[in-house]
Amino acid sequence: MKTISSLFNEERNQLQTDIDNTTSIEQIVKLVQNRLDNLERIYIEKLNLAQVRLASFFLDTLRQSIATLAAANYSQVAPTEQKQFTNPSTNLFSSRLILTLLKGLIYIGILGSLFSLTKTTPGAWMAILLTSLLLGVEVVLQLELNNQQNSISSELLELPKPLLRVDSKVFLDHLSDALNTIDLAVARVEDGNKHEGDLAIEELPELLNFLQRLMGASKLDKPQMAYELAKLLPQILMSQGINAQVYRSNSDRNYFDFEPSIDPDTKEHVTLTPALLKGDRLIRRGRVIEPAYSSARE
């Protein structure tokens, strides 16, 4: 019988490729859950009832855990945060504009004063030239600074777009570990069932106590005492979850072996040994003597 881990490993490469080619978390969740459904249908075909129940419980829990991946989502910047980010730039721009106007007025005043001196002082033209050159350098530096600040501001405003991805290898490694845990749990159930069937008689104290008392009654040659002890057998079997079923007209005939009566006048079924059942599982078939010409045989 193949384990669910081995079945998963046969499809792992294809599943990893499908996950890598899928960008939506919801699609990845559906993809993995559908693969688990297919694995479960193949896996439980060879399991007994107790193993099927245990494996289904673990797989349902695993599917619910995988579904929590769908809660992951992209985070967006709140409008209030953008507003707080842009307000300082606006205030700074207003301050620089006022400072630039003041500088312009100062340069105009200096140039006006120098022009008024040209009539009396010829050397004033050199001061006017140097002042004009300084004004030009100031304008060029201011334009360069504004360009750098605009570039930095645009880079800050362009927030990196979040990209949510699933690491397929890490995800499938954890999934494989979970499936291996299911195999171990199912194997323990199987080993437990085998051990239960291989119990030695010394591990059943109720049965040993009954046999001990029955042997004592036989040694004392007290048939009535042995008869009373025999009435305790159903109680002992019930303590182990075993039910003794006597054949009746509505009983399941598959639980019994039938032998024809050698007495042609016999009209009733006689149960020689009852059938032993544990739950719905037949442990020992019973034996029944039936009429030689009963309707069941006909």
Side-chain angles (χ1 to χ4, degrees):
M1 181 186 71
K2 285 189 175 182
T3 63
I4 195 170
S5 297
S6 61
L7 293 173
F8 170 75
N9 290 332
E10 292 176 0
E11 301 184 5
R12 172 166 178 162
N13 292 336
Q14 182 60 43
L15 180 58
Q16 185 170 354
T17 302
D18 294 340
I19 292 177
D20 291 337
N21 294 333
T22 305
T23 57
S24 172
I25 298 297
E26 291 80 3
Q27 292 179 359
I28 292 176
V29 171
K30 290 183 179 179
L31 176 65
V32 176
Q33 289 182 339
N34 289 337
R35 291 298 178 92
L36 288 178
D37 291 341
N38 294 334
L39 291 176
E40 182 179 7
R41 280 193 290 269
I42 300 173
Y43 179 57
I44 64 175
E45 289 180 353
K46 304 297 183 181
L47 303 181
N48 59 41
L49 182 59
Q51 292 172 327
V52 169
R53 289 175 178 172
L54 183 63
S56 298
F57 170 76
F58 277 113
L59 287 170
D60 287 341
T61 304
L62 183 58
R63 276 189 285 262
Q64 293 172 7
S65 300
I66 293 173
T68 57
L69 285 175
N73 206 340
Y74 303 110
S75 60
Q76 300 295 335
V77 179
T80 55
E81 295 178 357
Q82 294 179 353
K83 185 177 180 181
Q84 292 174 358
F85 181 78
T86 56
N87 282 340
S89 299
T90 304
N91 296 333
L92 185 61
F93 176 76
S94 301
S95 300
R96 287 178 178 174
L97 179 61
I98 295 173
L99 182 60
T100 302
L101 291 176
L102 291 175
K103 286 182 179 180
L105 292 175
I106 292 172
Y107 279 120
I108 292 173
I110 293 173
L111 289 174
S113 298
L114 291 175
F115 273 113
S116 64
L117 294 175
T118 56
K119 297 178 180 180
T120 58
T121 307
W125 286 105
M126 181 59 68
I128 293 174
L129 180 61
L130 293 174
T131 303
S132 300
L133 182 61
L134 179 61
L135 179 61
V137 172
E138 176 70 19
V139 172
V140 171
L141 291 176
Q142 188 65 36
L143 291 174
E144 183 66 22
L145 180 60
N146 289 337
N147 290 334
Q148 291 180 358
Q149 290 176 346
N150 290 335
S151 176
I152 294 174
S153 300
S154 62
E155 291 178 358
L156 292 175
L157 290 174
E158 292 178 0
L159 298 175
K161 296 181 180 179
L163 182 61
L164 191 62
R165 299 286 295 175
V166 173
D167 190 326
S168 59
K169 183 180 183 305
V170 175
F171 175 72
L172 294 179
D173 284 342
H174 288 296
L175 183 58
S176 179
D177 291 340
L179 295 177
N180 186 56
T181 301
I182 295 176
D183 284 330
L184 293 176
V186 170
R188 288 179 181 177
V189 172
E190 183 178 6
D191 292 340
N193 290 339
K194 290 180 178 179
H195 178 71
E196 181 181 353
D198 297 337
L199 288 177
I201 192 171
E202 61 268 19
E203 298 179 35
L204 300 173
E206 295 87 354
L207 182 58
L208 277 178
N209 183 47
F210 168 78
L211 293 176
Q212 187 180 29
R213 295 170 64 183
L214 186 62
M215 290 175 63
S218 64
K219 292 292 185 181
L220 295 175
D221 195 16
K222 293 185 177 181
Q224 184 62 31
M225 184 178 177
Y227 176 73
E228 294 297 329
L229 286 173
K231 293 181 179 179
L232 297 177
L233 274 175
Q235 182 179 351
I236 296 174
L237 293 175
M238 287 296 295
S239 67
Q240 301 297 322
I242 298 174
N243 179 37
Q245 187 176 112
V246 178
Y247 180 80
R248 293 182 177 85
S249 58
N250 58 350
S251 298
D252 190 340
R253 292 181 62 87
N254 294 324
Y255 293 163
F256 300 90
D257 292 324
F258 293 89
E259 301 176 9
S261 175
I262 58 175
D263 185 358
D265 296 330
T266 301
K267 297 181 180 180
E268 300 293 336
H269 290 77
V270 179
T271 302
L272 295 180
T273 55
L276 301 181
L277 296 92
K278 189 166 187 177
D280 296 332
R281 183 165 59 95
L282 178 65
I283 299 177
R284 291 288 186 272
R285 296 170 65 90
R287 290 179 58 204
V288 177
I289 299 296
E290 64 178 352
Y293 302 101
S294 64
S295 59
R297 290 181 58 82
E298 290 176 358

